[in-house]
Amino acid sequence: MDKKRIEEYARHCGTPFYLFDADVLHTRIEYLKEHLAKRIELCYAIKANPFITAEAAKDCPRLEICSEGEYRICEELGLPPKSFVISGVNKNPDFIKELIASGTDIGVYTLESPEHFSLIESASREAGRRVTVMPRLTSGNQFGMDEADIENIIRNRSDYPQLDICGIQYFSGTQKTSLKKLRREIEYIDAFAEKLETEYGFACRELEFGPGFPVYYFEGETFDEDEFLSGVNGIIDEMRFGGKLTFELGRSIAASCGIYVTRVADVKRNRGENYLILDGGMHQITYYGQFMAMKHPKIEHLGSGGEEENWTLCGSLCSVNDLLVKQYPLCGPKKGDLLVFHEAGAYCMTEGISLFLSRDLPAVALLKNGNLSLLRERYEAYRLNKPNYQ
């Protein structure tokens, strides 16, 4: 994307703003499909970026939904409920009961705990509706259940015929680069599925696995993704489980399709160090593993040039923690110049402390086939923070 077009978009959207490229997104998903084993289906975790959900749904057979809010987004987009995985550790009981009673044909509900099992079992029984569920196996954190809890559900499955238990879900983290660790995890769920069949006569039809594929955000990092995915396929080929295998991905799908554009608001020098004050900040652009701004993300400076010097990039928040990058080499930055942060398609626009100091929420735009559309206009955050004394 050339400088003139980004400057045009900045004038149209105002700064800072996020821009997501649908063509880059589709290319990314096609790459994953081409390089992963054919038996693997993709599930897009919309928590990574809800703004690209409609586009991701065109290529991913499933969408992971972790809150009622995410469900409402998908509902308003008119996406097929059969593709939904209703997940999340704290399911709203009223919402779940309403959803099951409505007869909406949801793809699958996850069982995060014995409490979730009781909720969904009783709701389906009271509504007289059969629903598909998938117990989640914990990887040693707050998510999912122990093996014993799942085995108890499987052992007594004949007592709740209204539940169609299709398989097991397992997620262990993010940014995993170790094939050895992935092998241990896949071998673990493979063995557990085999145990369920051997000891309880239960054949899993599906395993849904969150492999936590890595995204490389910073300069100097190298990663042969072709080789990595080839290694993943080798592990998959060794699995004894022969049913449906779904990979739930968020960051790996979304990161590359987005940029964050912010403008230089002030240029200053304090005690011998160069500072740029940007109209964005840490509440809007964060990278996993940035380590107090010590690493250098991929940044493009849209300016006129000059002598190269190191600059510390700071946001607009009244906080000493609002450091985006330390000692970043730039050539003659000036007030009004644009800085483009790449690999900003995942989490940045939703994970940050966006309401801090009541600064405006940035506009969000989508680029598709060369055409720009505004998904969310710039919004005055004070309207959300304003107390109602009436």
Side-chain angles (χ1 to χ4, degrees):
M1 195 180 304
D2 61 38
K3 173 183 175 181
K4 288 185 177 180
R5 291 182 68 186
I6 293 180
E7 289 175 339
E8 176 188 340
Y9 299 151
R11 287 192 294 272
H12 179 72
C13 298
T15 57
F17 72 99
Y18 301 102
L19 177 61
F20 306 123
D21 192 321
D23 297 331
V24 173
L25 172 66
H26 294 304
T27 299
R28 173 61 184 170
I29 297 174
E30 281 305 308
Y31 168 84
L32 289 169
K33 287 182 174 180
E34 289 174 5
H35 287 78
L36 286 170
K38 298 301 180 185
R39 63 179 292 201
I40 297 173
E41 288 192 357
L42 295 182
C43 173
Y44 175 58
I46 75 170
K47 61 179 175 285
N49 184 342
F51 294 99
I52 60 172
T53 300
E55 292 299 322
K58 296 176 182 179
D59 299 322
C60 298
R62 274 194 173 166
L63 301 171
E64 188 206 33
I65 294 170
C66 289
S67 70
E68 181 179 354
E70 290 186 347
Y71 175 84
R72 299 304 180 195
I73 290 172
C74 294
E75 183 181 45
E76 291 193 14
L77 289 171
L79 300 175
K82 192 67 177 174
S83 68
F84 298 171
V85 179
I86 305 296
S87 191
V89 294
N90 181 19
K91 293 179 173 68
N92 181 328
D94 292 337
F95 168 62
I96 294 298
K97 291 175 183 177
E98 174 191 335
L99 195 54
I100 291 176
S102 72
T104 303
D105 190 15
I106 298 296
V108 62
Y109 295 83
T110 66
L111 304 179
E112 289 276 352
S113 65
E115 175 70 20
H116 275 199
F117 163 74
S118 297
L119 167 64
I120 294 174
E121 190 277 330
S122 62
S124 60
R125 178 164 32 82
E126 291 170 8
R129 298 191 181 279
R130 185 170 168 83
V131 299
T132 301
V133 298
M134 184 180 289
R136 182 171 182 174
L137 177 63
T138 188
S139 58
N141 46 40
Q142 74 268 38
F143 304 108
M145 296 181 276
D146 286 338
E147 290 185 19
D149 291 324
I150 295 177
E151 288 177 39
N152 186 54
I153 292 171
I154 297 299
R155 182 187 302 112
N156 299 302
R157 63 190 182 279
S158 61
D159 294 342
Y160 26 86
Q162 72 280 6
L163 296 186
D164 175 21
I165 305 173
C166 68
I168 301 296
Q169 186 190 59
Y170 184 79
F171 178 81
S172 62
T174 189
Q175 291 290 81
K176 294 200 295 284
T177 60
S178 170
L179 285 174
K180 288 183 179 179
K181 184 174 182 179
L182 278 171
R183 178 182 294 278
R184 288 195 300 269
E185 293 171 349
I186 290 173
E187 287 177 348
Y188 170 59
I189 57 174
D190 195 25
F192 185 60
E194 187 174 47
K195 178 182 181 181
L196 294 179
E197 184 166 14
T198 301
E199 297 189 13
Y200 305 104
F202 174 77
C204 289
R205 303 196 304 271
E206 177 177 0
L207 293 178
E208 182 176 301
F209 178 52
F213 286 164
V215 170
Y216 280 74
Y217 290 116
F218 306 112
E219 293 178 355
E221 294 178 328
T222 58
F223 178 58
D224 189 334
E225 192 168 23
D226 289 4
E227 182 179 348
F228 177 79
L229 295 181
S230 177
V232 172
N233 291 336
I235 298 169
I236 297 301
D237 289 343
E238 297 172 6
M239 292 184 72
R240 295 181 295 276
F241 173 73
K244 181 179 178 181
L245 187 61
T246 300
F247 274 12
E248 179 252 298
L249 298 170
R251 188 185 307 274
S252 180
I253 286 175
S256 62
C257 79
I259 60 174
Y260 172 74
V261 182
T262 180
R263 195 180 294 277
V264 176
D266 200 354
V267 181
K268 59 199 304 186
R269 187 176 180 86
N270 287 350
R271 295 187 177 181
E273 183 169 350
N274 296 322
Y275 289 94
L276 294 183
I277 305 299
L278 309 179
D279 62 3
M282 67 173 185
H283 57 318
Q284 296 170 355
I285 179 71
T286 58
Y287 291 105
Y288 187 96
Q290 196 161 357
F291 300 112
M292 295 301 293
M294 296 301 292
K295 292 187 177 182
H296 288 182
K298 302 164 188 174
I299 302 174
E300 188 177 354
H301 172 213
L302 305 187
S304 55
E307 181 182 353
E308 183 177 277
E309 294 182 277
N310 287 334
W311 294 82
T312 293
L313 312 184
C314 304
S316 294
L317 303 182
C318 290
S319 169
V320 293
N321 294 320
D322 196 6
L323 298 173
L324 300 182
V325 189
K326 294 180 180 178
Q327 300 300 303
Y328 193 87
L330 293 171
C331 295
K334 300 176 182 62
K335 180 180 177 179
D337 286 357
L338 296 176
L339 294 181
V340 180
F341 287 71
H342 291 270
E343 307 291 325
Y347 293 106
C348 296
M349 76 304 304
T350 55
E351 197 175 45
I353 49 173
S354 56
L355 296 182
F356 187 43
L357 283 179
S358 298
R359 289 195 172 273
D360 290 355
L361 299 177
V364 178
L366 180 74
L367 187 64
K368 185 176 179 181
N369 298 324
N371 298 313
L372 187 77
S373 58
L374 208 55
L375 302 182
R376 183 186 74 192
E377 294 183 351
R378 187 181 183 90
Y379 189 81
E380 296 167 321
Y382 85 87
R383 298 181 183 278
L384 297 174
N385 285 348
K386 182 176 62 175
N388 183 2
Y389 294 113
Q390 297 179 355

